[in-house]
Amino acid sequence: EEEEEDEPASPPERKALPQICLLSNPHSRFNLWQDLPEIQSSGVLEILQPEEIKLQEAMFELVTSEASYYKSLSLLVSHFVENERLKKILHPSEAHILFSNVLDVMAVSERFLLELERRMEENIVISDVCDIVYHYAANHFSVYITYVSNQTYQERTYKQLLQEKAAFRELIAQLELDPKCRGLPLSSFLILPFQRITRLKLLVQNILKRVEERSERECTALDAHKELEMVVKACNEGVRKMSRTEQMISIQKKMEFKIKSVPIISHSRWLLKQGELQQMSGPKTSRTLRTKKLFREIYLFLFNDLLVICRQIPGDKYQVFDSAPRGLLRVEELEDQGQTLANVFILRLLENADDREATYMLKATSQSEMKRWMTSLAPNRRTKFVSFTSRLLDCPQVQCVHPYVAQQPDELTLELADILNILEKTEDGWIFGERLHDQERGWFPSSMTEEILNPKIRSQNLKECFRVHKMDDPQRSQNKDRRKLGSRNRQ
């Protein structure tokens, strides 16, 4: 009930956003808080410390970016969702999958922006915005989880409609030519909620870097960040569950069991990695090494809890001849034994499908492929460098300079400026890293990043990361109670 009191009720007759000079003036071109005429003429810039001005800019960016996002959402709804011709072309079920609950998302964004603008109207120096972010993330941003979880079906439906419905394809092309769309396709508008929830988390992180340590505003920012992180994780999990279920059904259909059948489909199981490797057979004699049958192809399906070993057979099928729980796998790298045994590693199944120990000597096509398989098969083995989560004072780090989209389940999608700790490196240009802001791990090409050579910068990056993820302390709890009281007093 206390949480409900935090949100001032908006007047039911007021549907449009308030026209205030700071944000809603269509002629305003001010991107910085300090450039606003109201700020310039107030003399406040001579009074505030440089750090406080940076904090004001960070909070102002969160508000203005929400205004820009809401404007784009409004265009998506008015120009596409509510288009009468489009409604006639689409079956209601197709429209539902394509646009999901975007009207709910827009309604939440409208109320959220209204609260942010009201806060700015209270004082030209913004007191805080993270308390509002916290309230909405905790109580209203579940609409994003619904929208984002629909991504797999949304993308497939959009592609099918473009391919199979000429009327849909032609109308969308026509609507996209409207100057209001600024040359952007419908898909760019459909992806807005996916991008926004992640962007909000980064904007709060930026605020968190500027607030004074152990202050009330730091506690509020930490609370907001924690709630946003939970929403982002729930969104990602929703997307994964949808796509994983379909993938597991597809894999099960392709498998034929030479051994006792293993049920593949499970709500708690997903694919981590799949691919072909060469299995070494025969005694290690010089005569055997010269034969062409030293290696034969096998195909591995590695799930989060199970390894299935197959041979590919005609008809895009896989004949399963062994399996083992993932927790009973061990890997070991061979010492360099010349060209023939390059990139060879040993895989041990402590208990296989026949309840016996089994050993496979496997050859990969490159050093990076070998390392990636070893890391996936036995994730708890020691990596070259220790993870930052062990609170190591220094660790090799890289910064993303070119965005990268993951191509395989064991890879990591990188955004510009992502900071990552290096856990493993290969000589042929791949890095296994851990991203600082969310602890996600995966492989990525080293060419997408630049190494951070300055130890002071690496240390600062770790310090900021620990600050964002530090646990609750009594000071935070006391400040949280005071914030609730302050919120009611403002009303």
Side-chain angles (χ1 to χ4, degrees):
E1 289 178 5
E2 282 187 1
E3 288 295 330
E4 286 300 312
E5 289 177 15
D6 283 353
E7 183 188 1
S10 54
E13 73 279 1
R14 192 177 190 176
K15 292 187 178 179
L17 291 171
Q19 297 297 305
I20 64 172
C21 58
L22 287 180
L23 298 176
S24 303
N25 182 348
H27 305 295
S28 176
R29 291 292 179 269
F30 298 104
N31 296 319
L32 294 175
W33 173 80
Q34 60 192 303
D35 289 343
L36 293 166
E38 293 83 356
I39 304 303
Q40 290 280 330
S41 61
S42 68
V44 75
L45 294 174
E46 283 75 44
I47 302 169
L48 295 179
Q49 295 294 319
E51 278 306 308
E52 178 61 34
I53 293 174
K54 288 178 184 176
L55 175 58
Q56 290 294 313
E57 295 291 7
M59 292 191 287
F60 183 69
E61 184 184 8
L62 188 145
V63 182
T64 52
S65 65
E66 187 67 28
S68 174
Y69 163 67
Y70 175 77
K71 184 179 177 183
S72 297
L73 273 186
S74 302
L75 180 61
L76 168 62
V77 170
S78 62
H79 194 58
F80 293 99
V81 180
E82 295 177 348
N83 183 280
E84 292 301 325
R85 289 172 61 196
L86 193 56
K87 284 181 181 178
K88 290 176 183 176
I89 292 171
L90 292 176
H91 187 275
S93 63
E94 293 172 332
H96 175 69
I97 294 172
L98 189 61
F99 299 120
S100 190
N101 64 327
V102 71
L103 294 176
D104 297 333
V105 173
M106 189 175 80
V108 167
S109 175
E110 181 174 346
R111 296 199 306 272
F112 180 44
L113 181 57
L114 185 60
E115 291 290 320
L116 293 169
E117 290 187 328
R118 280 177 178 163
R119 179 61 57 80
M120 288 190 64
E121 287 176 326
E122 291 174 4
N123 197 315
I124 57 170
V125 177
I126 310 165
S127 59
D128 197 2
V129 293
C130 287
D131 57 331
I132 300 172
V133 176
Y134 168 75
H135 175 73
Y136 272 81
N139 298 289
H140 303 291
F141 283 175
S142 57
V143 294
Y144 281 96
I145 301 169
T146 305
Y147 187 92
V148 174
S149 296
N150 185 49
Q151 180 187 24
T152 305
Y153 300 117
Q154 184 189 59
E155 287 179 352
R156 186 195 305 138
T157 300
Y158 184 48
K159 285 177 184 174
Q160 284 177 345
L161 287 168
L162 287 173
Q163 290 170 0
E164 299 168 11
K165 281 196 176 183
F168 174 82
R169 184 172 61 248
E170 289 163 10
L171 179 56
I172 292 300
Q174 185 181 330
L175 291 172
E176 288 174 345
L177 288 174
D178 192 297
K180 286 185 288 190
C181 293
R182 304 184 308 282
L184 296 172
L186 170 59
S187 55
S188 293
F189 292 96
L190 291 175
I191 205 170
L192 284 169
F194 300 78
Q195 297 169 331
R196 183 59 189 166
I197 199 67
T198 308
R199 173 92 173 122
L200 266 177
K201 193 179 87 162
L202 295 175
L203 289 165
V204 169
Q205 280 181 13
N206 195 33
I207 292 171
L208 192 49
K209 291 176 185 176
R210 310 295 182 193
V211 294
E212 188 180 346
E213 289 200 44
R214 297 203 164 274
S215 65
E216 183 177 337
R217 289 197 292 197
E218 184 197 45
C219 292
T220 320
L222 285 167
D223 288 338
H225 183 271
K226 187 177 177 182
E227 285 297 329
L228 284 170
E229 199 160 55
M230 289 168 65
V231 174
V232 170
K233 283 183 178 176
C235 287
N236 292 337
E237 193 55 34
V239 173
R240 285 178 188 141
K241 278 185 178 176
M242 292 285 191
S243 57
R244 282 169 179 171
T245 302
E246 294 198 332
Q247 189 178 41
M248 298 301 285
I249 293 169
S250 173
I251 290 171
Q252 170 114 348
K253 287 178 180 175
K254 294 178 180 179
M255 286 187 175
E256 294 180 1
F257 285 84
K258 192 176 177 182
I259 55 170
K260 184 181 175 182
S261 180
V262 178
I264 297 298
I265 300 171
S266 164
H267 289 300
S268 59
R269 179 174 294 151
W270 62 88
L271 183 71
L272 291 179
K273 192 170 177 62
Q274 70 179 82
E276 190 176 84
L277 288 167
Q278 302 287 314
Q279 180 193 357
M280 179 178 175
S281 55
K284 289 191 284 182
T285 65
S286 57
R287 201 183 74 155
T288 310
L289 287 173
R290 285 195 297 270
T291 66
K292 292 182 179 179
K293 293 184 180 179
L294 175 60
F295 295 103
R296 59 184 302 189
E297 293 82 12
I298 64 169
Y299 202 93
L300 270 55
F301 288 95
L302 178 66
F303 304 99
N304 60 310
D305 61 345
L306 177 72
L307 171 68
V308 177
I309 306 177
C310 324
R311 298 201 195 285
Q312 205 160 0
I313 56 177
D316 195 24
K317 297 277 187 180
Y318 299 89
Q319 188 179 67
V320 180
F321 66 88
D322 210 350
S323 66
R326 188 175 176 225
L328 298 179
L329 304 178
R330 301 293 183 268
V331 292
E332 179 186 330
E333 191 172 344
L334 277 187
E335 294 293 326
D336 185 21
Q337 297 187 27
Q339 188 61 38
T340 307
L341 294 181
N343 307 320
V344 172
F345 67 97
I346 295 170
L347 169 64
R348 287 196 172 86
L349 283 54
L350 300 185
E351 191 176 299
N352 73 348
D354 298 325
D355 298 324
R356 294 185 291 107
E357 184 173 328
T359 301
Y360 293 88
M361 192 172 283
L362 303 174
K363 182 179 175 70
T365 56
S366 64
Q367 188 198 38
S368 58
E369 188 192 7
M370 178 188 73
K371 295 275 189 186
R372 286 169 67 165
W373 270 111
M374 292 177 71
T375 303
S376 298
L377 288 162
N380 296 324
R381 60 186 282 273
R382 288 181 66 87
T383 51
K384 186 175 291 184
F385 305 107
V386 183
S387 160
F388 95 92
T389 46
S390 66
R391 295 184 178 264
L392 195 68
L393 290 177
D394 198 10
C395 176
Q397 283 179 5
V398 290
Q399 180 169 3
C400 173
V401 292
H402 302 290
Y404 179 71
V405 178
Q407 307 296 311
Q408 301 291 337
D410 64 338
E411 292 180 14
L412 195 60
T413 293
L414 301 183
E415 301 288 346
L416 275 177
D418 276 353
I419 306 292
L420 305 104
N421 273 353
I422 300 173
L423 305 182
E424 187 80 67
K425 286 174 81 172
T426 68
E427 292 172 5
D428 55 353
W430 284 82
I431 293 174
F432 182 60
E434 182 175 59
R435 187 162 45 218
L436 264 60
H437 75 75
D438 60 6
Q439 285 96 63
E440 287 285 326
R441 293 182 176 191
W443 291 90
F444 50 88
S446 57
S447 58
M448 299 293 116
T449 63
E450 282 183 359
E451 188 158 359
I452 299 171
L453 301 174
N454 189 325
K456 289 183 179 178
I457 295 175
R458 292 197 298 263
S459 177
Q460 182 62 28
N461 290 337
L462 288 176
K463 183 182 175 185
E464 287 176 0
C465 190
F466 292 146
R467 187 181 178 194
V468 168
H469 294 284
K470 72 182 177 182
M471 303 299 287
D472 286 316
D473 57 42
Q475 180 76 24
R476 284 188 65 193
S477 300
Q478 290 169 17
N479 285 344
K480 201 170 181 178
D481 294 337
R482 284 202 298 272
R483 278 200 309 283
K484 285 184 180 178
L485 182 62
S487 178
R488 286 196 289 275
N489 288 343
R490 265 199 298 271
Q491 296 175 48

